[in-house]
Amino acid sequence: MTAEDLRPAKQRHGVFRTKSVEQSMKDTDDPDSKLRKDLGTWDLIVFGVAVVVGAGIFTITASTAGNVAGPSVSVAFVIAAIACGLAALCYAEFASTVPVAGSAYTFSYATFGELIAWIIGWDLILELAVGSAVVAKSWSKYLNQVLGQIGVDLPTQLPMGPLAFDWGALLLVAVLTTLLALGTKLSSRVSLVFTTIKVAIVLLVIVVGIGYVKAANYSPFVPPAAPATEGETGLTQSLLSVFGGAGSSNFGIYGLLAAASVVFFAFIGFDVVATAAEETRDPQRSLPRGILGSLAIVTVLYVAVSLVLTGMVKYTQLADQPDGTQATLATAFADLGVNWAATVIAIGALAGLTTVVMVLMLGQIRVIYAMGRDNLLPRPLSRTGSRGTPLRATLIVGALVALGATFFPAGDLEQMVNIGTLFAFVLVSIGVVILRRTRPDLKRSFRTPLVPLVPILSVLACVWLMLNLSVETWLRFIVWMIVGGAIYAFYGRTHSRVRNERQQETSGR
């Protein structure tokens, strides 16, 4: 293969230079940064279910029903699943066509060019890092609950002035960082064990909970809109409700729409499957099956759990308490006196959230690895050790996630994860259409149906969900992107491997 073969059909220059699919594929053979191909279809489905089933069922479903949507939270899950399904079809085509680590970052480099690739890579770092920290803190809360239920009075959070030291979250991140450093296949095996446990517990919740469902609890299915509370400002409303002139995004139609954007957090992770493309033995077949299969499984579980939960108790019993305590899946069972189920659910949450954090960290490590290989981040981050894993990137990600989870409150960071993911979905969906036009010659083992209709619908659905996120989330996202732009301008642009190689080719002519 010659240098000419590795150039895109129409060369772009400057910050919009693209990296050809062929060059991306060639880079996977670099002995200094080569990943092991240990994963099959089942491994990918396990990763997908492992990362998705967890935060949504155990930490978001109940609080969203109690504070935002009422029983209609099940419809919110369906709306979010449709948006994810459209994006998943686009991801499946890209992942099978360009089976390279980096997911949306790599896809964007091949279609939009380097600047957009950097933006989406920086965006994915936000999504996965914040997601890992938020879920690690949720894990720590469940650990505290389990310890209390077995009679051990040992708080997992210790006050340290204005901050709190969360040793539970730190312990989890440290263990998972070690597992990820030891190898992806080992991580997959551990993930399979924990995923089996949590899916079994979710099914138990559904079977036991059905016996306590009362039809009266579903009325009103869409509760009337709540007025703005004292101290509530436009910053905490959804952008759509602000434009619509509503005073609040709680309950009513705006509450249902806002809930779809909130529970979207519960689906985050199926796209992480694409980050493991380079470690898959038969990516053209396994990646589409892993992405679409895991999404189908979790959608059924989410809708079933939300219907059972809101049928067991009145949605008002799931609202936040005055002391700030949030309802969880165990709350409904505890209110009905089914304490053994509450204990089992808490243990299941520990297993479930463990795999969520692990796979989110895996995805972030692979994005940083891919950006390091392109010299948009320091090159040593892409070096792999004797176990075929990027050790430096793994340790750095572990340290950053541990810092965030150990000392900083979760707050409203879930929405930061949502906006980052939705932005990535938009670019991937547009990218499918662009690559179909610029590279119709590429072999596509999976083809998104009804192009450009499905990608367009995916973009519209994702943008619509973004508009339902709060104003302050948008402001934080803009600030993050400005910081990323500065890093690219002062480091990535001048160190870019593609840029420097093309300059060398030009000067050698």
Side-chain angles (χ1 to χ4, degrees), residues 228 232-242 245-249 468-472:
E232 184 175 359
T233 67
L235 288 177
T236 58
Q237 285 184 243
S238 71
L239 198 60
L240 190 62
S241 67
V242 171
S248 171
S249 301
N468 280 284
L469 294 172
S470 67
V471 175
E472 61 183 348

Side-chain angles (χ1 to χ4, degrees), residues 231-285:
E232 184 175 359
T233 67
L235 288 177
T236 58
Q237 285 184 243
S238 71
L239 198 60
L240 190 62
S241 67
V242 171
F243 289 155
S248 171
S249 301
N250 296 334
F251 306 114
I253 188 62
Y254 285 116
L256 171 58
L257 299 179
S261 296
V262 173
V263 301
F264 179 82
F265 179 81
F267 289 94
I268 288 174
F270 77 84
D271 55 314
V272 176
V273 172
T275 67
E278 206 168 314
E279 297 160 271
T280 305
R281 290 188 294 270
D282 185 9
Q284 285 75 17
R285 290 168 55 88

Side-chain angles (χ1 to χ4, degrees), residues 181-267:
L182 291 175
T184 308
K185 189 62 178 179
L186 176 61
S187 302
S188 174
R189 289 170 179 166
V190 173
S191 181
L192 174 60
V193 173
F194 282 100
T195 300
T196 302
I197 293 172
K198 69 178 176 182
V199 170
I201 290 176
V202 168
L203 293 175
L204 175 66
V205 167
I206 296 171
V207 172
V208 174
I210 285 177
Y212 294 92
V213 169
K214 295 181 180 179
N217 289 331
Y218 292 123
S219 180
F221 192 72
V222 181
T229 60
E230 184 178 352
E232 184 175 359
T233 67
L235 288 177
T236 58
Q237 285 184 243
S238 71
L239 198 60
L240 190 62
S241 67
V242 171
F243 289 155
S248 171
S249 301
N250 296 334
F251 306 114
I253 188 62
Y254 285 116
L256 171 58
L257 299 179
S261 296
V262 173
V263 301
F264 179 82
F265 179 81
F267 289 94

